Amino acid sequence: GNSFAAGLDHPRWMYRWPNGDVLVAETNSPPRDVGGITGLVMGYLMKRGGAAVPSANRITLLRDGDGDGVAELKTPLITGLTSPLGMALVGTTLYIANTDALVRVPFAPGQTRITAKPEIVVRYPGGGNHWARNVIASADGTRLYVAVGSSSNIGENGLDKEENRACILEVNPATKTFRTFASGLRNPQGLAFEPASGRLWTTVNERDMLGSDLAPDYLTSVGLGDYFGWPHSYWGGYVDKRVEVLRPDLLEYAKRPDYALGPHTASLGLAFAADAKLGGQFANGAFVGQHGSWNRKPVSGYKVVYIRFNSLGFPEKSAKPVDVLGGFLDAAGNAQGRPVGVITDRTGALLVADDVGNRIWRVSAR
């Protein structure tokens, strides 16, 4: 492994352009309005975990022209965004998922600076506990899927505040409209199509304050109309009795996720091994970037793992996560880095955004 790019400002998510250029969203939460004791404690713990810096609100272009695994060009592509995360290129249009709206700008191949004013495609709720929005385009570009996390842990501020949240939205960019594609997902982040089946998959961060060993974060396939239980239940039917309004009528509809990733791992990044060239054991499966727990003892996550898939496009029954990249915690347990987004570069190496180390790591085959 080596450092592909350093000196970034809270790099969280990446996207590879057809010419091999890598875009990175340098971004963080908008100013938080979390009051009371919970807010103070959360603020302290997140600062300790390295999460408390203002958002740079830009997407930077990285180019490794000579192919040595280090980007020699680092230049701001577009600035003045609003806590952006996900990016998707459809034809000559770049879609960007800001915290509060999906926007688009025209893009010409080879361009290293975009000055066009972003056009709003759809607005959705921004900020809250979960501010980061990801976007992925369908193969034909006629639909975009946007992951929108909940505003709270378990709807404690009222479920009216969670409208169009804790879900994946399906956007029609031509008509600038959207519908709910899947719901009951507390904080979906990674979005990727499984190469063999074309199914949409996501990584989801589950609820807090049930102790160190509940509830598991997960990796799951997602279909139209799927409901995963948040906030009323988790893992396909375990009732969360803390939720103010109980809804036993919804239990029978709660889908069990496909694969548990462990509690409080904060599994965010997701990339299938379609064009990864890391050796035969990493040929068919998913890479997951685990940002790490901010409230668990002992800590969990803080690494990139790989889950082997079968020919049907699902995790193998006995597949245990295989560590791909670690070393983000020092001997005292302090975070030296926290992995977030994962993608492959044009050579088939894995790129990992580290928003505390402020760099992108590159993992290649020996």
Side-chain angles (χ1 to χ4, degrees), residues 43-357:
Y44 166 73
L45 288 170
M46 289 185 128
K47 192 169 181 180
R48 232 183 93 195
V53 294
S55 180
N57 288 334
R58 76 174 160 258
I59 291 171
T60 291
L61 183 141
L62 304 169
R63 180 176 291 166
D64 172 16
D66 56 12
D68 65 352
V70 178
E72 64 273 0
L73 176 69
K74 178 173 85 172
T75 185
L77 177 75
I78 181 168
T79 54
L81 298 163
T82 312
S83 295
L85 188 87
M87 297 153 274
L89 184 65
V90 178
T92 55
T93 302
L94 177 65
Y95 288 87
I96 300 164
N98 280 332
T99 186
D100 56 358
L102 181 67
V103 300
R104 62 188 173 198
V105 285
F107 152 78
Q111 198 172 358
T112 55
R113 180 88 179 140
I114 293 175
T115 51
K117 187 176 184 295
E119 174 197 356
I120 291 174
V121 183
V122 292
R123 292 184 188 275
Y124 40 69
N129 280 9
H130 304 124
W131 58 271
R133 311 281 174 255
N134 194 11
V135 62
I136 192 172
S138 63
D140 63 4
T142 62
R143 294 293 181 272
L144 294 149
Y145 297 90
V146 180
V148 183
S150 66
S151 157
S152 61
N153 180 31
I154 48 165
E156 62 272 15
N157 304 325
L159 286 181
D160 55 322
K161 307 272 194 314
E162 303 293 348
E163 193 177 347
N164 293 323
R165 296 195 72 137
C167 64
I168 294 173
L169 303 174
E170 184 183 62
V171 178
N172 180 335
T175 58
K176 294 189 173 182
T177 55
F178 66 81
R179 64 173 175 172
T180 301
F181 182 74
S183 62
L185 298 148
R186 179 176 173 273
N187 186 23
Q189 281 288 286
L191 293 172
F193 291 108
E194 196 279 319
S197 63
R199 256 185 234 106
L200 182 62
W201 284 72
T202 186
T203 47
V204 178
N205 289 197
E206 258 295 0
R207 61 206 69 205
D208 288 323
M209 316 300 177
L210 281 178
S212 284
D213 297 317
L214 282 177
D217 293 340
Y218 57 86
L219 168 69
T220 193
S221 59
V222 186
L224 177 61
D226 281 353
Y227 163 71
F228 290 87
W230 185 88
H232 303 97
S233 65
Y234 57 90
W235 201 250
Y238 292 89
V239 175
D240 192 334
K241 296 190 170 72
R242 303 170 301 168
V243 179
E244 279 174 36
V245 182
L246 294 176
R247 290 291 305 272
D249 54 313
L250 291 176
L251 266 183
E252 62 179 303
Y253 301 108
K255 182 176 174 178
R256 177 161 291 184
D258 290 304
Y259 190 88
L261 287 162
H264 310 294
T265 55
S267 295
L268 303 174
L270 175 61
F272 282 102
D275 52 2
K277 294 185 177 65
L278 294 176
Q281 73 271 39
F282 299 112
N284 182 31
F287 295 98
V288 174
Q290 300 188 325
H291 199 224
S293 53
W294 55 272
N295 60 352
R296 182 177 194 266
K297 287 192 163 123
V299 296
S300 56
Y302 293 100
K303 57 187 175 183
V304 178
V305 297
Y306 173 79
I307 295 104
R308 207 167 59 244
F309 271 51
N310 60 26
S311 58
L312 300 174
F314 285 95
E316 285 189 1
K317 281 279 184 281
S318 60
K320 296 273 188 289
V322 175
D323 290 0
V324 177
L325 184 64
F328 289 99
L329 296 169
D330 67 13
N334 296 311
Q336 305 303 294
R338 300 185 79 178
V340 195
V342 289
I343 63 169
T344 52
D345 72 8
R346 65 176 181 199
T347 71
L350 195 69
L351 298 179
V352 180
D354 170 358
D355 69 356
V356 168

